[in-house]
Amino acid sequence: MSLRSRQGRAVADALQALDHPTADEVFQAVRRHEPKVGLATVYRNLDALVERGAAQVRHVGGQRRYDPMTARHAHLHCTGCDRLTDVPLEGPLLDSLRRLADEAGMEFEDALLEVRVLCPRCKETRP
Ligand SMILES: [Zn+2]
Ligand SMILES: [Zn+2]
């Protein structure tokens, strides 16, 4: 396997293994196996995955994060530890979002929903 495709594979693997990582987090993970990889290469490979429809970009808490799950879903965003949990976005909730657009006379396209939460661990450690 060429260096280029090995690095591409390492980026895709890191994206799967990490939890909605930033490009820098992917870079740190890939660098452990591919010490010569550059941040620009990581960006290029992440952008290629997004272009191929194998990942999407979500902006959460002011950060650009990569998400290998491309089916429509919502995020539970813990404001304590910044972790994102994927939850399905469907059923009555999706229906009412569609209705919101409808009632405004607009055509629904998609919904990127972030629900802010405190995960059990953060809830426990918060004063
Ligand atoms: Zn948390
Ligand atoms: Zn997600």
Side-chain angles (χ1 to χ4, degrees), residues 27-47:
F27 174 57
Q28 301 302 339
V30 169
R31 209 159 57 157
R32 265 178 246 134
H33 310 284
E34 300 282 345
K36 288 195 177 123
V37 75
L39 183 58
T41 301
V42 169
Y43 268 109
R44 194 179 60 239
N45 280 287
L46 286 170
D47 288 345

Side-chain angles (χ1 to χ4, degrees), residues 22 57-65 77 82 84 114 116:
T22 62
V57 173
R58 300 284 283 254
H59 295 270
V60 178
Q63 280 184 317
R64 184 182 161 89
R65 293 164 70 157
H77 174 203
D82 255 356
L84 295 185
E114 175 194 328
R116 297 200 171 155

Side-chain angles (χ1 to χ4, degrees), residues 82-97:
D82 255 356
R83 274 180 63 103
L84 295 185
T85 304
D86 294 326
V87 288
L89 179 52
E90 57 193 20
L93 178 55
L94 183 58
D95 291 344
S96 55
L97 293 174

